[in-house]
Amino acid sequence: MPRISALDMPDVPMGQLPEHLELQRTRVLCGADAPTHTEGIQYSGAYASMEVDIGLRIENFCRDFRIDVIRLTEDEMEFDMVGIDVALANAFRRIIISELPTMAIEKVLMVSNTSVIQDEVLAHRLGLIPIEVDPRLFEYISENDSPNEKNTIVFKLHVSCKRNGPRFTVKSDQLKWLPKGSELEMETGVKSSIKKKYTSFSCGQDTLPELSSKPIRVKHDDIIIAKLGPGQEIELEAHAVKGVGKTHAKWSPVATAWYRMLPEVVLLEEVEDEMAVELVNKCPVKVFDIEDVGKGQKKVVVSRPRACTLCRECIRGEGWENRVALRRVKNHFIFTIESVGQLPPETLFTEAIKILEDKCDRVISELS
């Protein structure tokens, strides 16, 4: 890049940033060795000498922020969050993973387990099975609360393998929901005509309006719990309660929630003919395509910039950094939520917004 005297440079227009500063502020530049300009600038006085205010203003946020849903299935959603800072995007990710409540098996009462799997390992495997039920219908249970129809879900598992039969695979569809609560009697050590159970249900959960139309069940029927040999048996009762992922991963409602900045692939000069073919073959995810411009000439076009993974293969080699520029847009995030099944992904995101809103309200109330 040729050197230019400061006296020969044009005057900087007031109220807007020069092109190179605007590029550094809004883009992460990805070179062959490392990315640059990765930091975010939100300080309102950073460009005060140019009369540019880049501070966070609520009116600017309401004007610029938007969400565009790209793909939505039963258990997965991909959407774009535009006009938001990375700190807020990461807050949503952390809330979805660790602060959204679900129902998961917490207590396992073993009656009989003659399989090769230890009781603790079996209980852990049961806890990781997703339960298809809306956790908003239930309450949290504390140490002083007794298990009842509003805070506990009870499942029963009783399977065995015949002595002369083949090995038997125990799957999650053999977990049976007990809407009336526990069927096991507690050993109190006191003789009484009234037998006490492990739960105190005042009514059957199947009689509740919100559960009568959609019985509680496991989300996936084909999860392998154990394999029994001839003569082996498992009999147990499992109690599911409400919790959050930061207590234990079994309560996390997602397999994963993640985001990445929107890739931006820019051709700095025309890439034609043999070099065009070379560039197309360099990219493993086929970001580039060849366009026929007539008279036997070909040139490269950027056809799928969103698919770029920043492997940087296209800018490796002599001279390629002068032909192709790889960037990331700092305030445009591609967000993906993969639900494990308790709640649809769009509901998980709206619930995360409510939790963040409650946190903001608490901070405001503490400061006021």
Side-chain angles (χ1 to χ4, degrees), residues 260-265 305-310 327-329 332 334:
R260 61 190 178 102
M261 293 180 184
L262 179 72
E264 188 177 73
V265 183
R306 190 183 181 91
C308 179
T309 61
L310 280 189
R327 304 167 184 165
R328 294 282 198 188
V329 183
H332 190 144
I334 301 173

Side-chain angles (χ1 to χ4, degrees), residues 234-247:
I234 295 177
E235 183 180 0
L236 58 84
E237 199 172 82
H239 294 193
V241 298
K242 189 174 182 177
V244 292
K246 62 183 177 182
T247 303

Side-chain angles (χ1 to χ4, degrees), residues 92-103:
F92 285 125
R93 182 190 67 85
R94 290 172 65 96
I95 290 172
I96 291 171
I97 291 174
S98 64
E99 297 188 45
L100 289 181
T102 61
M103 303 295 291

Side-chain angles (χ1 to χ4, degrees), residues 272-285:
E272 299 175 337
D273 301 331
E274 293 181 0
M275 296 184 67
V277 176
E278 181 183 352
L279 180 57
V280 170
N281 293 333
K282 271 175 169 282
C283 182
V285 292

Side-chain angles (χ1 to χ4, degrees), residues 8 15 18 21 26 92 112 138 232 274 305 334 350:
D8 297 331
L21 287 182
T26 60
F92 285 125
S112 174
F138 292 86
Q232 294 179 348
E274 293 181 0
I334 301 173
T350 55

Side-chain angles (χ1 to χ4, degrees), residues 51-260:
E51 299 181 1
V52 176
D53 184 2
I54 62 168
L56 184 61
R57 298 286 185 271
I58 187 63
E59 58 272 11
N60 295 340
F61 178 81
C62 294
R63 182 191 67 225
D64 299 334
F65 179 69
R66 75 175 193 272
I67 292 179
D68 301 325
V69 178
I70 305 302
R71 185 179 75 256
L72 178 61
T73 63
E74 181 182 1
D75 295 326
E76 186 175 348
M77 178 170 69
E78 180 183 317
F79 59 94
D80 288 1
M81 297 178 65
V82 186
I84 196 171
D85 186 69
V86 64
L88 283 174
N90 193 49
F92 285 125
R93 182 190 67 85
R94 290 172 65 96
I95 290 172
I96 291 171
I97 291 174
S98 64
E99 297 188 45
L100 289 181
T102 61
M103 303 295 291
I105 293 173
E106 169 69 359
K107 181 187 292 185
V108 178
L109 306 175
M110 292 287 181
V111 178
S112 174
N113 178 20
T114 57
S115 70
V116 296
I117 301 179
Q118 300 94 329
D119 291 354
E120 295 83 359
V121 176
L122 182 58
H124 182 264
R125 292 178 66 85
L126 291 170
L128 295 174
I129 297 175
I131 300 172
E132 189 176 10
V133 63
D134 191 340
R136 295 171 293 183
L137 303 176
F138 292 86
E139 302 172 353
Y140 287 100
I141 185 172
S142 66
E143 294 180 357
N144 300 323
D145 294 334
S146 61
N148 57 57
E149 71 278 2
K150 295 181 180 180
N151 58 30
T152 304
I153 301 172
V154 182
F155 291 94
K156 179 181 179 180
L157 177 65
H158 190 185
V159 290
S160 60
C161 181
K162 295 181 179 179
R163 289 193 175 275
N164 298 323
R167 292 175 61 86
F168 180 73
T169 300
V170 184
K171 295 187 178 181
S172 52
D173 62 342
Q174 286 154 321
L175 278 169
K176 304 303 179 184
W177 174 42
L178 300 180
K180 299 186 185 304
S182 176
E183 295 179 349
L184 298 180
E185 298 178 355
M186 293 182 65
E187 296 182 1
T188 59
V190 179
K191 292 184 178 180
S192 174
S193 59
I194 301 176
K195 301 298 184 180
K196 190 176 181 181
K197 303 293 181 64
Y198 283 92
T199 58
S200 304
F201 282 26
S202 60
C203 64
Q205 290 176 329
D206 53 355
T207 63
L208 300 176
E210 56 270 17
L211 296 176
S212 59
S213 59
K214 190 175 182 181
I216 299 174
R217 58 183 297 274
V218 295
K219 175 63 179 177
H220 306 287
D221 294 333
D222 56 349
I223 299 175
I224 297 177
I225 299 174
K227 292 188 176 182
L228 302 181
Q232 294 179 348
E233 178 186 30
I234 295 177
E235 183 180 0
L236 58 84
E237 199 172 82
H239 294 193
V241 298
K242 189 174 182 177
V244 292
K246 62 183 177 182
T247 303
H248 193 283
K250 65 185 176 184
W251 279 298
S252 181
V254 293
T256 186
W258 59 282
Y259 61 84
R260 61 190 178 102

Side-chain angles (χ1 to χ4, degrees), residues 254-358:
V254 293
T256 186
W258 59 282
Y259 61 84
R260 61 190 178 102
M261 293 180 184
L262 179 72
E264 188 177 73
V265 183
V266 180
L267 295 176
L268 302 177
E269 62 181 46
E270 294 286 347
V271 181
E272 299 175 337
D273 301 331
E274 293 181 0
M275 296 184 67
V277 176
E278 181 183 352
L279 180 57
V280 170
N281 293 333
K282 271 175 169 282
C283 182
V285 292
K286 307 303 179 185
V287 169
F288 304 98
D289 202 355
I290 292 180
E291 185 179 271
D292 190 352
V293 295
K295 297 182 180 180
Q297 293 184 330
K298 303 174 183 177
K299 73 172 185 178
V300 160
V301 293
V302 181
S303 58
R304 299 175 63 242
R306 190 183 181 91
C308 179
T309 61
L310 280 189
C311 66
R312 293 179 283 192
E313 284 296 324
C314 59
I315 58 175
R316 289 194 172 99
E318 186 177 355
W320 282 106
E321 275 195 273
N322 298 325
R323 302 183 185 103
V324 181
L326 299 180
R327 304 167 184 165
R328 294 282 198 188
V329 183
K330 289 183 180 180
N331 68 342
H332 190 144
F333 300 94
I334 301 173
F335 211 107
T336 304
I337 300 174
E338 295 181 11
S339 171
V340 296
Q342 288 99 330
L343 291 173
E346 64 272 21
T347 303
L348 294 177
F349 184 68
T350 55
E351 290 298 312
I353 294 175
K354 294 177 184 177
I355 291 177
L356 184 59
E357 184 180 3
D358 290 340

